[in-house]
Amino acid sequence: MNGVAGVRLGTGRGGISASKVYEGRDDVLVMAIDPGASVAGVFTQNGFRAPPVYMAEERLAAGEVRALLVNTGNANAATGKEGFARAHTCCRMLAEKLEIDADSVLPFSTGVIGEQLPLEAMRVGIGKATEVLALDAWPQAAEAIMTTDTIPKLQVRDLEIGGRKVSIRGIAKGAGMIAPNMATMLAFVATDAGIERGLLAERLSRFTEESFNRVTVDGDTSTNDACILVATGASGVRADEESEGFWSALRDLMNELASALIEDAEGGNKTVRVLVEGGRSSDECRRVARSVAESPLVKTAIFAEDANWGRICMAIGNAGLEDFDQSLVDVYIGELPVMKGGLASPDYDEQAASLVMREATYGLRIALGRGSARGEMLTSDLSHEYVKINADYRT
Amino acid sequence: MNGVAGVRLGTGRGGISASKVYEGRDDVLVMAIDPGASVAGVFTQNGFRAPPVYMAEERLAAGEVRALLVNTGNANAATGKEGFARAHTCCRMLAEKLEIDADSVLPFSTGVIGEQLPLEAMRVGIGKATEVLALDAWPQAAEAIMTTDTIPKLQVRDLEIGGRKVSIRGIAKGAGMIAPNMATMLAFVATDAGIERGLLAERLSRFTEESFNRVTVDGDTSTNDACILVATGASGVRADEESEGFWSALRDLMNELASALIEDAEGGNKTVRVLVEGGRSSDECRRVARSVAESPLVKTAIFAEDANWGRICMAIGNAGLEDFDQSLVDVYIGELPVMKGGLASPDYDEQAASLVMREATYGLRIALGRGSARGEMLTSDLSHEYVKINADYRT
């Protein structure tokens, strides 16, 4: 596979965690970025954000970014000043290997909370990763950031702009936002298009809203979530606000990575798109979609393939919309109307609705009848496996 | 058992639902109230509130209340105008039997959503219930409002005020706010003290905040939740703002009913009190307590008896407090410190913490270190049974 000019990747095993999850797997990823790239990032808003999250956000704002350092097996969260000191040390280790400024390294961690990062293991992992830096190591990178994910998540887009080739690559991990390791969502996307930094940040923020912020498994966001977008400019092609083909490819790549997170959700067997339309604002549509997508009662019904639309009503009603009029609301399972105007649909066919729900992927559509805005969420089911995985795992 | 002077109760079986849940059980409760009583109520804020909820709230505001009519087996929710008409008809049936004004009857329903209330079954149930009205039928009443509850929930307080006897009785149903039947929470409390209506409403609202609004199983509130407080005055004793003994008995009775709901939570094996202290306001303490109490990751850890305090951090961080400083936060499992100042406690003993978590009932205490306010929630665990019950049930 071709990579992205200006970004070299390397992975290595430091042995950061003794947990079986990581047995025999690389646990350190280094992404080395050529000088002159634009970089943007979005970070978790969780109040217990980990030291590396604070550091990455600060350094991104302060100056040039020359490398990303990612480790699994330890989240370096709830680790206090010592956690900051150790993340600093790791960045310095990498900076020395790459002969760059230590402040130009952004750290990312995912794994167990409340334990200090093992420095010797990090040193070993960083050493190995920097020895194998290569443009085409995206597949290895996608594997090295996995925790309890069952499949690596890599998306590739190549397109032409003005007769010249532009590449976009993205990797993500999550195991459904619910995994034993706190389900940190990490995503790293890079392109060799040249993009002005403000525009890059604005588009990352917008596309993140539409992709990663649209998937939910249980509403828990982690202490370490982050998404980084790098534009090296090494292709010689500039992308600006007019570059519709480029932005649409980038948006599509991020949407696919987000969907892959739900498809790989721990204990999840279903991918359900909850589309809410006819709202007064996209914000209220998203609120309703989230209430439905996160309701344990709805999610157990999805698992049971039970066309229990009363639970959907209940969840819609729990979103707390002002001046809400239930008599305007229609609900569809797939294309089948189950509720019309706040009542059981006259055409309601429970068997047909249950057939739709046997599919691995389908949509729930809710029409609020009070406006023209839309919003959506992707969700999975709440299964026996969800409880098993999250109850049986020991930190 | 003695009852409450001025309130007669009767139950009967109408056969409202064909579901096995209700097999052989009374499904109608009538509470007949003597003239002159004060009545207060709190009602679900769910946007898909059922017709009887609208009617009960409206009638309560409009005039004297002479009877409560409760049915199980059908929630009369998502039933539209026909749902209102049928609730009206049922109230009229009862009013004729009791020879009172139909507008003085408040209707309450719990059960399946989206089906019209069967009028003939209601007529039969109302007929039987009104034939057996009695002061001492509180135990039968507690049973008649059960849906998937496994035990009836009845609380009794008798006290003396100025040498005269005052009685308080309360019943509730819920099956943990999560039950197949949408887990409607209904509570009916009556006393023979005489209480001014404004004061009654104020205290009901305050005590509901501290009791029923403090219990959570999965954050889903139902379309039909309601809590009614009746003060008949038939004891000849007036309770006013100074009557501390009376209010403390009433508060205690409501707290016990709320705890009983959690203890009977479907699929729940644990009752865990999440106490948050050291906040800037009781509101933010409640917000943190709710985030912890409703986190599926925390609840599976409670089920697994796993002292996974990283999940508690994550849930605290998800409450979205402003100017939150994680380095001020302490977390205790029972009396054991597991986190101090945002870090693993130096005394942390995972085995000891896991021992606490083997208890059926224990507390999680979170000290935010930024103020002096407190707030709490009661929660249960997220078990295999939760998924089983909610997935296997067919409406």
Side-chain angles (χ1 to χ4, degrees):
Chain A
M1 174 195 303
N2 293 328
V4 171
V7 178
R8 290 168 305 139
L9 307 96
T11 65
R13 174 167 176 79
I16 292 162
S17 165
S19 161
K20 281 205 169 177
V21 171
Y22 304 101
E23 218 167 84
R25 280 168 42 189
D26 287 353
D27 48 16
V28 171
L29 163 66
V30 169
M31 293 176 69
I33 303 165
D34 284 354
S38 296
V39 181
V42 290
F43 302 91
T44 181
Q45 296 306 308
N46 189 297
F48 258 94
R49 330 164 108 188
V53 177
Y54 283 105
M55 286 173 58
E57 188 170 35
E58 226 174 83
R59 290 173 168 198
L60 183 59
E64 192 177 41
V65 175
R66 292 296 311 282
L68 312 182
L69 170 60
V70 192
N71 74 273
T72 62
N74 186 310
N76 193 4
T79 46
K81 283 181 189 165
E82 179 68 17
F84 279 94
R86 294 199 180 198
H88 271 285
T89 303
C90 294
C91 289
R92 218 163 34 232
M93 290 174 187
L94 177 58
E96 277 166 23
K97 292 277 182 193
L98 299 179
E99 298 181 343
I100 56 175
D101 184 359
D103 288 346
S104 72
V105 179
L106 310 189
F108 302 89
S109 296
T110 175
V112 67
I113 285 184
E115 292 177 15
Q116 295 296 342
L117 203 54
L119 289 178
E120 181 52 23
M122 285 298 294
R123 199 188 55 73
V124 171
I126 290 168
K128 291 181 183 169
T130 48
E131 274 165 29
V132 294
L133 289 170
L135 281 170
D136 62 356
W138 285 90
Q140 295 91 315
E143 283 195 42
I145 62 172
M146 287 164 65
T147 53
T148 50
D149 302 66
T150 63
I151 44 163
K153 293 155 197 83
L154 167 63
Q155 286 286 321
V156 173
R157 297 291 183 281
D158 290 310
L159 60 161
E160 278 198 9
I161 298 180
R164 290 157 87 181
K165 210 190 128 200
V166 173
S167 297
I168 317 175
R169 302 286 178 270
I171 58 175
K173 61 86 42 180
M177 267 68 30
I178 61 161
N181 297 4
M182 302 310 310
T184 289
M185 198 288 291
L186 291 177
F188 303 100
V189 180
T191 176
D192 48 17
I195 303 167
E196 187 272 319
R197 196 171 157 171
L199 178 62
L200 192 74
E202 183 264 309
R203 291 300 158 102
L204 173 65
S205 160
R206 191 199 299 178
F207 296 164
T208 300
E209 268 310 300
E210 294 175 15
S211 58
F212 300 115
N213 285 349
R214 216 189 56 198
V215 300
T216 181
V217 174
D218 49 20
D220 285 334
T221 64
S222 112
T223 53
N224 294 60
D225 295 343
C227 175
I228 299 292
L229 175 55
V230 178
T232 65
S235 67
V237 178
R238 300 288 302 175
D240 59 21
E241 298 195 352
E242 319 286 283
S243 311
E244 282 173 27
F246 175 80
W247 298 117
S248 126
L250 177 62
R251 165 192 274 137
D252 185 56
L253 175 145
M254 288 176 62
N255 283 343
E256 287 295 322
L257 284 177
S259 299
L261 293 178
I262 285 288
E263 278 156 29
D264 196 21
E266 288 213 359
N269 311 293
K270 304 282 188 184
T271 301
V272 178
R273 181 165 169 265
V274 181
L275 171 65
V276 177
E277 56 187 29
R280 290 183 185 166
S281 66
S282 60
D283 181 63
E284 75 168 30
C285 292
R286 280 279 291 278
R287 198 137 50 98
V288 171
R290 180 176 287 273
S291 180
V292 172
E294 290 180 357
S295 160
L297 283 168
V298 171
K299 287 159 72 72
T300 44
I302 291 172
F303 170 61
E305 302 174 346
D306 175 8
N308 195 331
W309 60 270
R311 295 185 182 182
I312 299 173
C313 291
M314 174 277 303
I316 296 169
N318 271 336
L321 298 200
E322 273 187 30
D323 314 319
F324 178 75
D325 184 348
Q326 57 182 261
S327 76
L328 303 176
V329 179
D330 302 337
V331 174
Y332 299 80
I333 295 178
E335 294 303 312
L336 298 169
V338 295
M339 189 171 79
K340 280 286 196 184
L343 300 169
S345 166
D347 314 326
Y348 179 49
D349 178 343
E350 181 169 337
Q351 280 201 307
S354 295
L355 270 180
V356 173
M357 294 181 76
R358 287 197 205 147
E359 304 286 331
T361 305
Y362 60 90
L364 297 177
R365 184 155 62 90
I366 296 155
L368 297 176
R370 54 194 251 140
S372 58
R374 298 158 53 101
E376 64 179 57
M377 294 291 285
L378 276 184
T379 191
S380 65
D381 51 339
L382 177 49
S383 67
H384 292 295
E385 293 92 312
Y386 175 92
V387 176
K388 190 166 158 47
I389 292 166
N390 284 291
D392 294 354
Y393 176 85
R394 296 279 304 164
T395 46
Chain B
M1 174 194 304
N2 294 328
V4 171
V7 178
R8 289 168 305 140
L9 307 97
T11 65
R13 174 168 176 78
I16 292 162
S17 165
S19 162
K20 282 204 169 177
V21 172
Y22 304 100
E23 217 168 83
R25 279 167 43 188
D26 287 354
D27 48 16
V28 171
L29 163 66
V30 169
M31 292 176 70
I33 303 166
D34 285 354
S38 296
V39 181
V42 289
F43 302 91
T44 181
Q45 295 306 307
N46 190 296
F48 257 95
R49 331 164 106 188
V53 177
Y54 284 105
M55 287 174 58
E57 187 169 36
E58 224 173 86
R59 289 173 168 199
L60 182 59
E64 192 176 40
V65 175
R66 293 296 310 283
L68 311 183
L69 170 60
V70 192
N71 75 271
T72 62
N74 185 310
N76 192 5
T79 47
K81 283 180 187 164
E82 178 68 16
F84 279 95
R86 294 198 180 199
H88 272 285
T89 303
C90 294
C91 290
R92 218 163 34 233
M93 290 174 187
L94 177 57
E96 277 166 22
K97 292 277 181 191
L98 299 179
E99 297 182 345
I100 56 176
D101 184 359
D103 288 345
S104 71
V105 179
L106 309 189
F108 303 88
S109 296
T110 175
V112 67
I113 285 183
E115 291 177 15
Q116 295 295 342
L117 203 54
L119 289 177
E120 180 53 22
M122 285 299 294
R123 199 189 56 73
V124 171
I126 290 168
K128 291 180 183 170
T130 48
E131 275 165 28
V132 295
L133 288 171
L135 282 170
D136 61 357
W138 285 91
Q140 296 90 316
E143 283 195 42
I145 62 172
M146 287 164 65
T147 54
T148 51
D149 302 66
T150 63
I151 44 164
K153 293 156 197 81
L154 167 62
Q155 286 287 321
V156 173
R157 296 292 183 281
D158 290 311
L159 61 161
E160 278 200 7
I161 298 181
R164 289 158 88 179
K165 209 187 129 201
V166 173
S167 297
I168 317 175
R169 302 286 180 270
I171 57 176
K173 61 86 42 180
M177 266 71 28
I178 60 163
N181 296 5
M182 302 310 312
T184 289
M185 198 287 292
L186 291 176
F188 304 100
V189 180
T191 176
D192 49 17
I195 303 167
E196 187 272 318
R197 195 172 156 172
L199 177 62
L200 192 73
E202 184 262 310
R203 292 300 159 102
L204 173 65
S205 161
R206 190 199 299 178
F207 297 164
T208 300
E209 269 309 301
E210 294 175 14
S211 57
F212 300 115
N213 285 349
R214 217 189 55 198
V215 300
T216 180
V217 174
D218 48 20
D220 285 335
T221 64
S222 111
T223 52
N224 293 59
D225 296 343
C227 175
I228 299 293
L229 176 55
V230 178
T232 66
S235 67
V237 178
R238 299 289 299 176
D240 59 21
E241 297 195 353
E242 318 287 283
S243 311
E244 283 174 27
F246 175 81
W247 297 118
S248 127
L250 177 61
R251 166 193 274 139
D252 185 56
L253 175 144
M254 287 175 64
N255 284 342
E256 287 294 321
L257 285 177
S259 298
L261 294 178
I262 285 287
E263 279 155 28
D264 196 21
E266 286 212 0
N269 310 294
K270 305 282 187 183
T271 301
V272 178
R273 182 165 168 264
V274 180
L275 171 65
V276 176
E277 55 187 29
R280 290 184 185 165
S281 66
S282 59
D283 181 63
E284 76 168 27
C285 292
R286 279 279 292 278
R287 201 136 49 98
V288 172
R290 181 176 286 273
S291 181
V292 172
E294 290 180 356
S295 160
L297 283 169
V298 171
K299 288 160 71 72
T300 43
I302 291 171
F303 170 60
E305 303 175 344
D306 175 8
N308 194 330
W309 59 270
R311 295 185 183 181
I312 299 173
C313 291
M314 174 278 303
I316 296 169
N318 271 337
L321 299 199
E322 273 187 30
D323 314 321
F324 178 74
D325 183 350
Q326 57 183 262
S327 76
L328 302 176
V329 179
D330 301 336
V331 174
Y332 299 81
I333 295 178
E335 294 303 312
L336 298 169
V338 295
M339 189 171 78
K340 280 286 197 184
L343 299 170
S345 166
D347 314 327
Y348 179 49
D349 178 344
E350 181 169 338
Q351 280 201 308
S354 295
L355 270 180
V356 173
M357 295 182 76
R358 287 198 206 147
E359 305 286 330
T361 304
Y362 61 90
L364 296 177
R365 184 155 62 89
I366 295 154
L368 297 175
R370 54 194 249 141
S372 57
R374 297 157 55 99
E376 65 179 57
M377 294 291 284
L378 276 182
T379 191
S380 64
D381 50 340
L382 178 49
S383 67
H384 291 296
E385 293 94 310
Y386 175 92
V387 176
K388 190 165 159 47
I389 292 167
N390 284 291
D392 294 354
Y393 177 84
R394 295 279 304 164
T395 45

